[in-house]
Amino acid sequence: MGGWTKEGQPRATHIFEAAAWFRAIKPVCRCGHSATFNPYGIWWRFQCKMWDDDLAKARQKFWCVRCGAKTGKRVRPVRIELVDPGPDDIALPSPTSANGSGRSAASVHED
């Protein structure tokens, strides 16, 4: 699982760790476009679909809508960054959602 940076900070290697340390998931496309996902909802989505939540493998579950509209193909992000969560993060349903509603329209979608 996770590791540590040279500065002694925890470094997440899985979505579970990002959620535990409250770090938002930000896939970044080669065109520069990105979207930020609330860590709890994206972790729960991976759990429900039984996807591997390793960050390197999770990259293959996201695609850029802008590049997809231009090329007609799913263009995968070049990297996933872990960032501070914000109020505009895409909030997928999480295990604590009573009604299961969440904002699912995103600029960078996941499979």
Side-chain angles (χ1 to χ4, degrees), residues 14 54 71 90:
H14 291 76
D54 179 271
T71 64
I90 298 163

Side-chain angles (χ1 to χ4, degrees), residues 22-97:
F22 201 54
R23 302 292 290 165
I25 308 295
K26 182 180 176 183
V28 181
C29 182
R30 64 179 161 224
C31 72
H33 187 246
S34 65
T36 307
F37 292 85
N38 175 284
Y40 303 121
I42 201 72
W43 170 78
W44 185 241
R45 173 66 57 96
F46 272 71
Q47 290 298 301
C48 289
K49 293 191 175 270
M50 293 191 281
W51 290 338
D52 188 343
D53 76 333
D54 179 271
L55 287 172
K57 295 176 183 174
R59 192 174 61 83
Q60 295 304 312
K61 300 297 181 183
F62 296 91
W63 57 282
C64 180
V65 173
R66 289 184 186 169
C67 288
K70 291 178 187 175
T71 64
K73 297 180 182 179
R74 292 186 175 183
V75 178
R76 305 298 176 190
V78 292
R79 68 182 180 278
I80 291 182
E81 297 177 357
L82 301 178
V83 298
D84 290 331
D88 296 328
D89 291 352
I90 298 163
L92 299 173
S94 65
T96 58
S97 296

